[in-house]
Every structure is written in structure tokens, then in C-alpha cells.
Amino acid sequence: MNRLDERQLLHRAAQLAELLTGTVNGGASVGFLAPLSRAEALAWWEGRAADVAAGRLAVWAAGEGERVLGTVSLAFPDKPNSRHRAELVKLMVHPQARGRGLGRRLLATAEASAAAAGVSLLHLDTETGSPAEHLYRSSGWTPIGAIPDYAADPGGVLRPTTIYYKHIPATALTR
């Protein structure tokens, strides 16, 4: 599992795009509608490079060789009163790699990295009733409620979204 800097993200953008298209076109709700083209996915990942360079986004990738099988990111707020928290975003595992604990390892990596950076509170949202909910609940995340019709799934149908949070014991004072 590697944390990607700007250069590495751009180098791996095609593999990350393959993961994103496979995830979305496989039915997972991660903010895109299906069918998601490779070009759209590639442009989206390349657009994240500036945030990575600026420290607003941390991206990890896991895989075999040049193939990315999973990713997770932390989005850091830019306001002084919210530097103790981060949003867990775009946790994805390739459909062919599911059921082997990769999602749990990605989640643990993000949580440990957040703690090391002095982040004490994480939050996320996920489609209510999705398989991801089991992962978050079994990993100690607390649901705070669901918002009806919050986001469209890859097929364009409005679905409820559940918001989760988790307190992380910080191991550093600042990031």
C-alpha cells in the first residue's frame, strides 16, 4: 500500500481510472453515473493531482505490479477550526479483488495515517444498504443518520446516504 505523491498519482492515473470505471460500471456508488468512460475517469484522477500536491488530499493505492486493485483517500479541510478532522473518500476495491480484506486494509491505512497526522475525527458518507456499510460498522464507525435521496447511484436512481464518523486517537499534534 503506497501513499501517492503528485507525480506518482499522475503516473498511476490510468490504473486508477481503470479501477474507477470498474467500480462504477460494476454498480458501486462513488459519485459517478454509469457508464463511466475511461477518458472521464482518467480526467477525474488527473484533476486530483493539484490537491495532492497542495496537501489537501492524501491518496493510497494498493495493487499487484502496475494494476491498482484498491484505493482510499483522505480529504483535509482548509479552515483553521477544522484541521482536526478529515473526510474519508473514494474507498474502492476492484470487483475482482473483493472479499479478500483489501477494503479493510485500505481503511486501516487511512485511519492510521490520519492519527499520525494529528487528525482525531474522520467522517464519510456511503449509500445506505450498500456492502460498504458492513465494513464501516464492523470497523468501529458510528452511523449518525441517513439523508433520503441524497445521491444518484450509478444507474441514476436517487438513494439514501448514511453519514458515519469515527474518533481516531491522534499520535501527532499537527500535520
Side-chain angles (χ1 to χ4, degrees), residues 142-158:
T142 303
I144 60 171
I147 303 171
D149 298 336
Y150 185 77
D153 67 12
V157 177
L158 292 178

Side-chain angles (χ1 to χ4, degrees), residues 15 20 35 40-41 57 66 73 82 94-95 110 143 155 159:
Q15 293 85 30
L20 180 57
E40 290 171 304
L57 184 69
E66 285 297 307
S73 299
S82 55
H94 194 282
R159 301 280 186 199

